[in-house]
Amino acid sequence: MKGTEPDEEQLVRRTAKGDRAAFEELYRRTSPWLAVRLRRRCADEQIVAEVMQETYLAVWRAAGAFAGSAVGGSAVGWLWTIAARRLVDAFRRRARHTQPLPVAETTVALAAEDEALAGAVGDHVGDALRRLAPELRQVLQAMVLDGLTVRETAVLLGLPEGTVKTRARRARIAMREALS
């Protein structure tokens, strides 16, 4: 490895072996990008900070479970999957403890996934999501709420990409019909 820097996948593999320097380098490279991506989905800096902390703690603890390129994934995709799920969890925790603000009172426009998450508390969107078949809901959550690509969703769910595309289409049609 002389003369070349390790890529993110190699850093995750070294982190799995307890290499703190590799973990710190992974954090240095990925945290600015991850924070920006999370802020696009959440304007609350406290939630973003909590999600960042939970994500990197999960990476430190679960680096050995990273399958990587062996299953067509990437270290950055894996990291985003963890962060996106932690963000969804944070929204769910907040929704259980507080009433969502009316849209007119918010200072920033909500992203589509934020509206869907807020809707999961009990309005028409939440009802429509709950009525979806579990396999359709999983794909919709991964692609829309978590912001994963078709490929990342396929890897995450262990499905062929064509199946993910078909389920995403069926889920969107079902949601459109339920909300019309």
Side-chain angles (χ1 to χ4, degrees):
M1 299 250 51
K2 278 193 172 176
T4 63
E5 288 189 22
D7 64 16
E8 286 80 6
E9 184 168 338
Q10 291 165 330
L11 292 172
V12 171
R13 299 218 182 282
R14 286 177 34 201
T15 297
K17 295 176 183 172
D19 185 337
R20 189 169 192 83
F23 177 74
E24 290 170 0
E25 177 65 14
L26 180 68
Y27 179 84
R28 187 189 64 74
R29 286 188 197 178
T30 59
S31 63
W33 163 86
L34 186 60
V36 167
R37 199 156 180 194
L38 288 169
R39 285 184 190 112
R40 285 186 198 149
R41 288 160 175 75
C42 178
D44 187 324
E45 282 297 319
Q46 182 179 353
I47 290 177
V48 170
E50 288 171 13
V51 169
M52 291 284 290
Q53 182 176 4
E54 290 174 12
T55 298
Y56 284 100
L57 181 60
V59 167
W60 177 256
R61 290 179 175 165
F66 173 65
S69 58
V71 294
S74 71
V76 173
W78 179 69
L79 187 72
W80 173 244
T81 300
I82 293 169
R85 287 184 173 188
R86 295 299 185 276
L87 184 60
V88 169
D89 291 344
F91 279 125
R92 287 180 181 151
R93 281 191 305 271
R94 174 184 264 186
R96 278 195 297 267
H97 298 303
T98 62
Q99 291 296 320
L101 293 173
V103 174
E105 292 182 23
T106 60
T107 56
V108 296
L110 292 174
E113 61 266 33
D114 295 342
E115 288 180 32
L117 284 170
V121 178
D123 70 357
H124 299 300
V125 174
D127 292 340
L129 281 169
R130 282 188 284 279
R131 284 193 301 261
L132 279 179
E135 66 274 8
L136 301 181
R137 190 171 43 247
Q138 283 179 325
V139 168
L140 197 62
Q141 178 179 350
M143 293 181 70
V144 176
L145 301 182
D146 295 347
L148 301 180
T149 65
V150 170
R151 181 178 200 150
E152 290 167 337
T153 301
V155 170
L156 177 68
L157 300 177
L159 298 169
E161 287 183 35
T163 301
V164 169
K165 290 177 186 176
T166 300
R167 288 183 183 177
R169 182 176 176 276
R170 287 177 48 210
R172 286 185 181 113
I173 290 169
M175 288 294 292
R176 195 171 14 249
E177 289 172 357
L179 296 172
S180 62

